[in-house]
Amino acid sequence: QVQLQESGPGLVRPSQTLSLTCTVSGASIRGRDSYWSWIRQHPGKGLEWIGHISFSGGTNYNRSLESRVTISLDTSKTHFSLKLSSVTAADTAVYYCARFLMGTSWYYDLWGQGTLVTVSS
Amino acid sequence: IVMAQSPVTLSVSPGERATLSCRASQTVNRNLAWYQQKPGQAPRLLIYGASTRATGIPARFSGSGSGTEFTLTISSLQSEDFAVYYCQQYNNWPPDSFGQGTKLEIK
């Protein structure tokens, strides 16, 4: 069974860097049919796409965040990571990792349970 | 691409039909998915390709539409169906566009 699990600090100070890891189990992170993604959800709001990374390390980022975002892939350790720099209270959200599957059809088929990150001093 | 969902909130009684709409600012062909999200949970894939149910999704869920107009219909609402529903396009790369969501609540 394929599972994704987010981990990282639940509290980040303003101006610091938010760092999260998504551990993938039951599937190869090297799969050519997968884009490993980060999506966040502000309290009581909708889903905001942050960015993704392919098996080869290619990335796309949300234009509104790309100056602060880095997504990386550790194929040897079957996890991928998110770094968001210079955070403010507006970055307080539940952060999800997800897999965008590009098989015969395309969709987000797997999601982590989500982790709440609060930005506060 | 901007995805707009309507209504924002839909109140329906159990056993009745619910119809949720999603409109794209430009054509996405049939490259549209629907997700269900319950409180405290991650979204769950319901529909992809505008009308194909994902594995394990009950037949009371159906999707239709193409181009810019899409509909998610739940034929006979069960208690577990009251949730927030999101549409998402994957016609344009990257697949970054979600609708703002429709909250389906018990009337």
Side-chain angles (χ1 to χ4, degrees):
Chain A
Q1 182 180 0
V2 185
Q3 291 185 317
L4 280 63
Q5 178 68 59
E6 305 91 349
S7 59
L11 179 65
V12 181
R13 305 300 183 191
S15 79
Q16 299 301 303
T17 296
L18 178 160
S19 297
L20 295 174
T21 294
C22 182
T23 300
V24 180
S25 58
S28 173
I29 207 166
R30 301 181 186 86
R32 293 174 177 262
D33 58 355
S34 302
Y35 276 74
W36 304 99
S37 311
W38 289 97
I39 295 164
R40 71 181 181 180
Q41 187 168 37
H42 294 101
K45 302 298 183 182
L47 301 168
E48 180 182 27
W49 184 81
I50 299 172
H52 64 205
I53 189 166
S54 71
F55 73 98
S56 62
T59 55
N60 292 104
Y61 298 132
N62 185 321
R63 290 183 180 179
S64 68
L65 299 171
E66 64 182 343
S67 64
R68 301 192 290 129
V69 174
T70 302
I71 297 175
S72 59
L73 193 67
D74 187 331
T75 56
S76 64
K77 296 183 178 179
T78 66
H79 67 250
F80 62 106
S81 301
L82 168 70
K83 292 187 184 298
L84 181 65
S85 64
S86 305
V87 297
T88 69
D91 294 309
T92 293
V94 174
Y95 286 75
Y96 294 100
C97 59
R99 180 175 75 172
F100 186 70
L101 186 65
M102 299 175 63
T104 53
S105 191
W106 298 0
Y107 39 72
Y108 289 99
D109 68 328
L110 297 170
W111 298 72
Q113 65 186 26
T115 187
L116 174 64
V117 178
T118 301
V119 178
S120 175
S121 56
Chain B
I1 297 179
V2 177
M3 308 301 292
Q5 293 184 241
S6 61
V8 173
T9 303
L10 181 62
S11 299
V12 183
S13 300
E16 294 188 343
R17 174 188 298 260
T19 302
L20 290 67
S21 297
C22 176
R23 174 176 291 179
S25 60
Q26 62 189 77
T27 184
V28 298
N29 298 301
R30 291 182 60 81
N31 296 315
L32 184 109
W34 289 94
Y35 300 84
Q36 176 194 67
Q37 187 179 34
K38 297 180 179 180
Q41 297 184 17
R44 176 177 71 144
L45 176 69
L46 294 177
I47 301 282
Y48 61 90
S51 62
T52 302
R53 281 189 301 278
T55 301
I57 302 303
R60 64 180 182 272
F61 290 89
S62 63
S64 63
S66 64
T68 62
E69 301 282 345
F70 300 88
T71 300
L72 175 69
T73 301
I74 311 171
S75 60
S76 178
L77 280 164
Q78 306 298 303
S79 58
E80 62 266 29
D81 300 334
F82 292 95
V84 179
Y85 292 83
Y86 295 94
C87 62
Q88 179 248 331
Q89 72 83 24
Y90 51 91
N91 190 70
N92 282 22
W93 193 258
D96 60 350
S97 307
F98 289 90
Q100 83 278 17
T102 290
K103 181 179 180 180
L104 181 57
E105 63 178 27
I106 300 175
K107 185 174 182 180

